[in-house]
Amino acid sequence: MPVLYSYTAMIPSLPPSTGPIGVFDSGYGGLTILDKIRGLMPEYDYIYLGDSARCPYGPRSFEVVYEFTLQAVSKLFELGCPLVILACNTASAKALRTIQQINLPVIDATRRVLGVIRPTAECIGEITRSRHVGILATAGTIKSESYLLEIHKLSPDIVVTGEACPMWVSLVENNEYQSEGANYFVKQHINRLLDKDPVIDTIILGCTHYPLLLDKIRQFTPGHIRIIAQGEYVARSLQDYLNRHPEMDARCEKGGKCRFLTTESENKFEESASIFLGRQDIKVESIALE
């Protein structure tokens, strides 16, 4: 993964703080992660930041995803977040490790940035029986092989097969995920995945948009195959992390509040957020990242 030292030097050191848990995504899909986290831990404060003006991240280079993600993490740190969750598979795949290893020691070694790939990888060894696992994700996540690497760190015997589904995010964001037209694209990629490895008994949805397609995915997937959506596993992993790190838990404010930020227009975000959260009362602020 590329390391951009020049950008690191531009970021000032920030003082220790207490504040909300930050949740970042390139757009709207991370709202499915936030929803599960808030469902499990409603007492905490949260800031959700969606870089909707520059999404999707999937087709972008490692360097650009890293730069954009670091800008977002830095903004959330400036807003007081001691802990940030990258609720975006592409950002987790292309930027997380560099930010953890290179940037955090410069910005503030007491803060933490966590991703969504590791928590999902940790559960797979106990779920699959055939030891053959499929990944449905964006082209960027599949190309990074992040799921393969993380799963093999924990369960090197598991065979991991990926299938990029470039149309699925558009189906969700254009509110076409329940349409008959979506059937073709969902069935096509599931069939391709199972053609590559017919022994797969577990499929990970490696994109935060894909839970909205879950009904269609199940419709075209053999019944014996288990479908894993990330939200509940990320939420449990975060809860476990805070239980194991009381010093970080003490820095996470608990007032049950949630703030929504977007780099797009407020109205556009509110409209799209209603699809992911199933509610209309989202109040959003527009910000700039640089």
Side-chain angles (χ1 to χ4, degrees):
M1 182 175 295
V3 178
L4 306 183
Y5 293 95
S6 60
Y7 192 79
T8 303
M10 296 168 58
I11 300 176
S13 179
L14 300 172
S17 68
T18 61
I21 296 172
V23 180
F24 167 68
D25 184 52
S26 59
Y28 311 104
L31 292 166
T32 64
I33 301 293
L34 175 67
D35 192 45
K36 294 296 184 181
I37 292 174
R38 291 186 72 192
L40 187 64
M41 298 183 291
E43 68 274 21
Y44 290 83
D45 289 348
Y46 301 93
I47 295 180
Y48 181 90
L49 170 55
D51 189 13
S52 311
R54 301 189 294 194
C55 74
Y57 278 16
R60 296 185 183 272
S61 68
F62 276 81
E63 291 85 357
V64 170
V65 172
Y66 163 75
E67 181 177 345
F68 287 179
T69 304
L70 186 54
Q71 289 171 357
V73 168
S74 300
K75 175 62 71 174
L76 288 168
F77 282 171
E78 289 172 15
L79 294 170
C81 298
L83 170 66
V84 174
I85 309 298
L86 301 186
C88 171
N89 284 273
T90 302
S92 295
K94 294 185 176 182
L96 176 63
R97 188 178 301 277
T98 305
I99 289 173
Q100 288 176 331
Q101 295 180 353
I102 302 300
N103 303 112
L104 278 183
V106 175
I107 302 171
D108 184 345
T110 71
R111 303 191 192 223
R112 293 292 179 267
V113 180
L114 306 175
V116 293
I117 294 176
R118 178 79 180 192
T120 315
E122 288 175 342
C123 73
I124 290 302
E126 299 179 359
I127 294 174
T128 177
R129 295 292 176 261
S130 70
R131 315 306 283 176
H132 288 247
V133 171
I135 312 293
L136 297 170
T138 64
T141 298
I142 295 299
K143 186 176 180 180
S144 74
E145 296 189 337
S146 293
Y147 275 98
L148 172 67
L149 295 171
E150 289 296 331
I151 291 172
H152 280 178
K153 286 178 186 177
L154 303 166
S155 304
D157 63 309
I158 293 178
V159 177
V160 180
T161 304
E163 169 67 15
C165 310
M167 287 294 298
W168 288 17
V169 168
S170 296
L171 289 172
V172 172
E173 294 201 347
N174 289 288
N175 204 15
E176 293 290 333
Y177 62 95
Q178 293 178 325
S179 70
E180 288 296 319
N183 292 353
Y184 171 81
F185 295 103
V186 173
K187 183 177 181 181
Q188 177 190 54
H189 289 295
I190 291 172
N191 287 346
R192 286 180 180 175
L193 178 65
L194 297 180
D195 284 344
K196 294 176 186 177
D197 185 356
V199 191
I200 286 171
D201 73 346
T202 306
I203 293 177
I204 296 172
L205 304 185
C207 175
T208 53
H209 285 67
Y210 294 0
L212 276 74
L213 286 161
L214 189 55
D215 288 344
K216 287 195 179 296
I217 292 169
R218 285 179 172 148
Q219 179 182 344
F220 297 110
T221 302
H224 70 280
I225 296 178
R226 185 163 177 178
I227 311 296
I228 304 297
Q230 297 172 294
E232 62 181 284
Y233 297 97
V234 174
R236 290 178 195 170
S237 179
L238 177 58
Q239 185 181 57
D240 178 67
Y241 177 86
L242 292 174
N243 287 338
R244 290 185 289 106
H245 296 276
E247 75 286 353
M248 178 57 72
D249 184 68
R251 294 178 63 185
C252 297
E253 294 178 350
K254 302 172 182 68
K257 297 177 291 185
C258 188
R259 184 180 175 190
F260 295 89
L261 307 177
T262 179
T263 56
E264 249 279 10
S265 73
E266 295 95 331
N267 290 340
K268 170 62 176 171
F269 189 93
E270 289 170 6
E271 178 183 339
S272 296
S274 67
I275 297 173
F276 288 87
L277 297 177
R279 49 190 288 188
Q280 305 291 330
D281 59 341
I282 304 299
K283 302 299 181 185
V284 184
E285 305 166 55
S286 182
I287 64 164
L289 294 178
E290 55 184 31

